[in-house]
Every structure is written in structure tokens, then in C-alpha cells.
Amino acid sequence: MFLPERKRTVAVTVGNVTVGGGAPVVVQSMTNTDTADAAATAQQVRELHQAGSEVVRITVNTQEAAAAVPEIQRRLHDDGVEVPLIGDFHYNGHVLLRKYPDCADVLAKYRINPGNVGKGANHDKNFATMVQCAIDHDRPVRIGVNAGSLDQELLDDLMEQNARASVPLDASSVFLEAMVQSALRSAAAAEELGLARNKIILSGKISKVQELVRVYQALADRTDHALHLGLTEAGMGMKGLVSSSAGLAILLQQGIGDTIRVSLTPEPGGPRTAEVRAAQQILQAMDIRPFLPQVTACPGCGRTTSSYFQVLSQEVEKFLHERMPVWKQTKPRVAELQVAVMGCVVNGPGESKAAHIGISLPGTGEAPRSPVFEDGEHVCTLEGPTLAQDFLARIEAYVERME
């Protein structure tokens, strides 16, 4: 199997998780509750962690939110949930981290946006205060540059320099360079203030795929800091999933990225956990990290006028997700399981043989029998009203035999 060679970055310890340094790409997510509501925020952190988020970021934007962070952690500990909490700070992080030292101590990492720490002399002063808090509490930081809140003074300076150049660049290129320089300059400033190199993660998030790729390629070429990937404001539904997958896949294939988040806009009242599943699926689709057994399912065509293969595919998916919490306790390789549910004789037997376990259902006009294959061998043929239950039982038995 071909796997992209990872760019070697400095390892950063975030709570009980290692980011960079060759460690597996880390999945993270972010709550959308009011952090001041400790009960609601702890519940959502719990849900995100159970879905597979290995670190969870929470907004810390008010005094009430900062004061609630220790209570959030207490609630999580009481439930046996050990997940690093990341504090997301904008505008007033220098105040909140100093005023609420318990909050600063509970958080496993601080997110600093250099475009939102103040203007002029206050910029450097406020940035230095947040970095000193990280040093005092022995915490790493993510210096997270966002296109929507880029340091305007830096951008103006680079635009002026570009205007005087003999061969000026286009405005978009200057903007992207400003994002890169904002991250690199801020990291250098943090190190000059005494923050160790292995306490810094960088990001440069933007909402257009090709611009995202250019920013991260430049960062990867110019620093060995660990990098957090994410297409910011990816959007809702299909658009958000496709855009995030396209951007992150390009970078991951180039070996760039140590931690990722898929910033999906959830449907009103929809689960926040969808972004975790999306991040996992991107990594698993690229054979970078396995998380859940995968189902290869027939898309359907004129040969599959029956919808039964669709129904069975859904039943198998549901079964795998329900059983996974139990299986993974004793079967560490179960996440690598490949199951095929195919709809006719054209590709059915071949795909079923290629999977660990697969079933080839009859297409239109075919005999109503379904051969089952395990590790490439035909092991039985199923038919009749108990076919679904019988196939799920075969999957259960297969997993039981796994090492």
C-alpha cells in the first residue's frame, strides 16, 4: 500500500495526546455551546470525544466562560472522560488567562489568533502576556492565523512593499504571504519570549481550497513546527464535506498536517459530531488512519431495480457502528475490517472477494441467491427472509476470529 511520507515536524504534547513528530494525525473538533453553561458544554465535549475527537476546543470569550472551564473539566473527570481541552481566545485572552489562573491551568493548550490580540503597541504586549501565561503554566499554544481576521498592519506593510517592487505580485499572493508571515513571525516572537519550540503549533486557515493548499505548502516548506489543518468556514452539508475533503486530502497526500478539523456548519439542531466523523473518514479513505470498519457498497444501476442492497448496506453500517465500541476493546485491528455489500453479478463477486467479508446480492433477473465470500473464498450462499440476520451473524463470527 502506498502511503505519503509525512513531513517531519516537532512533537508537541497536548494533555495526553502527541501532535507532530511522526505521531498519527490527530482528530479535533470544537463545541458550539455557550461555555459559561458548564453542563451543556461538558455534555457536548463528552459527545465529541465519544465520537472520536482526540482533543476538543472550547470558546473562552467572557469572564463567565473562563470561570466555568474548571467546572467543565470536573464534570468530565467525574464521567471518566479524559480529553484535552483547548481554549480558543480572541481579543481578551491576555486578560482572561491572567484573571482566571484556574482556567489557564485546566486548559491543555491555548489558541492565539495574532490578528485579534490588539493593535499597535498593544498587539505585542497582549501577545507577550498570553505567551507568558503559556510558559508559566507549561502549556503549548496554537498560533492560528485566519484569513478573516488577518493582522491588518502586517498586510498593509506587505502591500506597500509589493507596490514598490519592480515586479509586483498580485494582491491575492500578497495576502497569502501575509498569512504565512503572520504565523512564522508570531512563532519566532513566542520563542524569543521563552516559549519552547516544542510548545508551538501553527495554522493558517482560509475558506478557499486552492488558497488553503498554497498557505500550508509554504508553511511546510519554511518551518518544522507542527501544523493544524482545516478549511475554515467550510459550509453546510455536501459543500462543506466536499470542500474540506478536497483541501485536506491534497495536503495530507503531500505529507502535510499533524492534526485536522473539519469545520462543518451543522443543520439547525443537528449533531456536532458530524465533523468528527468527517475528519475520521478523510483519514481512513486515504489509508492514513483506520477508525471504523468500512463498507464497500454498490451504487446501483439498471441491473439493481430492487432496493434491497441499499437496505442491507444501511443495516450493515448501523450494525458495525453499534458493535464497534465492544469489538475495539478486544479486537484492536477491527477498524481495518472491509465489508462489501454488492448488488449484482457484474462487480459483486469481485468486490466481495477483495473485502475481508462480502456478499453479492442478485440483480434484476438473477437467481435469488447471494454468495458470501471471506478472505477471497466462497464460504456459503444466503437466501430467504433471514438473509440480513444471517449475514450480520457471519460478520460477528468473522470479527470474533480476528486477532
Side-chain angles (χ1 to χ4, degrees):
M1 180 184 299
F2 172 79
L3 291 176
E5 183 178 355
R6 296 275 302 282
K7 300 280 187 181
R8 195 67 180 181
T9 56
V10 176
V12 180
T13 301
V14 182
N16 57 3
V17 174
T18 299
V19 174
V25 178
V26 172
V27 172
Q28 71 169 265
S29 59
M30 185 175 183
T31 60
N32 61 357
T33 54
D34 180 356
T35 307
D37 186 340
T41 302
Q43 175 61 25
Q44 192 171 82
V45 171
R46 187 181 304 110
E47 292 168 357
L48 291 166
H49 181 58
Q50 289 175 345
S53 185
E54 293 159 303
V55 297
V56 178
R57 184 155 48 109
I58 61 177
T59 299
V60 187
N61 58 333
T62 64
Q63 295 189 56
E64 292 78 10
V69 170
E71 174 63 19
I72 293 168
Q73 187 193 54
R74 281 193 292 272
R75 288 173 176 268
L76 293 171
H77 281 182
D78 288 346
D79 289 340
V81 177
E82 299 294 334
V83 59
L85 295 178
I86 314 304
D88 191 60
F89 294 97
H90 298 268
Y91 309 111
N92 59 357
H94 58 289
V95 174
L96 297 177
L97 285 169
R98 282 295 188 213
K99 189 170 183 178
Y100 295 90
D102 288 347
C103 168
D105 195 54
V106 162
L107 295 170
K109 185 178 72 175
Y110 314 149
R111 186 281 177 97
I112 304 174
N113 183 341
N116 286 343
V117 297
K119 304 296 183 183
N122 285 333
H123 177 282
D124 294 347
K125 177 183 176 183
N126 296 344
F127 181 82
T129 298
M130 296 185 73
V131 169
Q132 189 59 52
C133 285
I135 294 171
D136 293 345
H137 292 273
D138 192 28
R139 295 292 183 267
V141 302
R142 171 162 71 92
I143 296 174
V145 178
N146 273 32
S149 51
L150 183 59
D151 185 339
Q152 193 61 44
E153 293 178 3
L154 172 60
L155 178 60
D156 291 344
D157 181 56
L158 291 182
M159 286 292 187
E160 290 179 9
Q161 292 180 36
N162 185 62
R164 295 193 297 268
S166 57
V167 184
L169 302 173
D170 61 273
S172 176
S173 294
V174 178
F175 184 89
L176 298 182
E177 175 62 19
M179 289 186 62
V180 174
Q181 287 203 26
S182 178
L184 296 177
R185 291 185 185 188
S186 297
E191 290 188 61
E192 289 176 5
L193 290 164
L195 189 64
R197 195 169 186 80
N198 66 352
K199 296 290 186 182
I200 300 172
I201 298 172
L202 300 182
S203 67
K205 300 175 78 172
I206 196 166
S207 59
K208 293 183 178 180
V209 170
Q210 294 294 349
E211 292 180 345
L212 181 86
V213 171
R214 288 176 62 184
V215 166
Y216 276 98
Q217 287 174 335
L219 284 172
D221 285 343
R222 290 153 69 174
T223 185
D224 62 354
H225 284 300
L227 298 178
H228 166 68
L229 303 186
L231 186 78
T232 193
E233 290 95 36
M236 297 181 69
M238 184 69 71
K239 186 267 182 186
L241 286 169
V242 172
S243 297
S244 292
S245 299
L248 297 184
I250 292 170
L251 293 166
L252 290 167
Q253 185 63 25
Q254 295 174 4
I256 298 171
D258 301 290
T259 172
I260 67 171
R261 180 193 173 204
V262 178
S263 300
L264 296 178
T265 304
E267 297 289 343
R272 191 68 167 178
T273 53
E275 67 177 52
V276 179
R277 291 285 301 280
Q280 290 178 326
Q281 197 59 49
I282 290 170
L283 292 173
Q284 187 146 0
M286 299 188 68
D287 293 321
I288 292 174
R289 279 190 72 183
F291 293 94
L292 291 166
Q294 298 291 285
V295 177
T296 301
C298 174
C301 68
R303 292 175 178 270
T304 55
T305 52
S306 168
S307 63
Y308 186 70
F309 75 95
Q310 297 166 308
V311 174
L312 182 59
S313 296
Q314 290 178 332
E315 289 185 18
V316 169
E317 285 270 12
K318 181 181 178 183
F319 176 74
L320 295 174
H321 283 281
E322 289 177 346
R323 294 295 295 150
M324 188 60 183
V326 176
W327 288 340
K328 69 181 181 181
Q329 301 300 320
T330 57
K331 305 293 180 180
R333 296 186 57 200
V334 71
E336 302 171 12
L337 182 67
Q338 297 285 328
V339 181
V341 179
M342 302 302 294
C344 81
V345 73
V346 173
N347 292 319
E351 290 287 355
S352 296
K353 290 178 182 179
H356 292 108
I357 178 170
I359 187 169
S360 179
L361 297 168
T364 303
E366 297 176 27
R369 292 186 292 276
S370 304
V372 175
F373 299 84
E374 295 179 6
D375 298 321
E377 299 294 330
H378 177 211
V379 293
C380 69
T381 299
L382 302 179
E383 58 184 305
T386 63
L387 183 149
Q389 292 85 352
D390 293 342
F391 184 58
L392 296 181
R394 300 276 332 182
I395 295 174
E396 185 75 50
Y398 187 96
V399 172
E400 186 60 33
R401 297 193 301 271
M402 293 181 72
E403 296 180 357

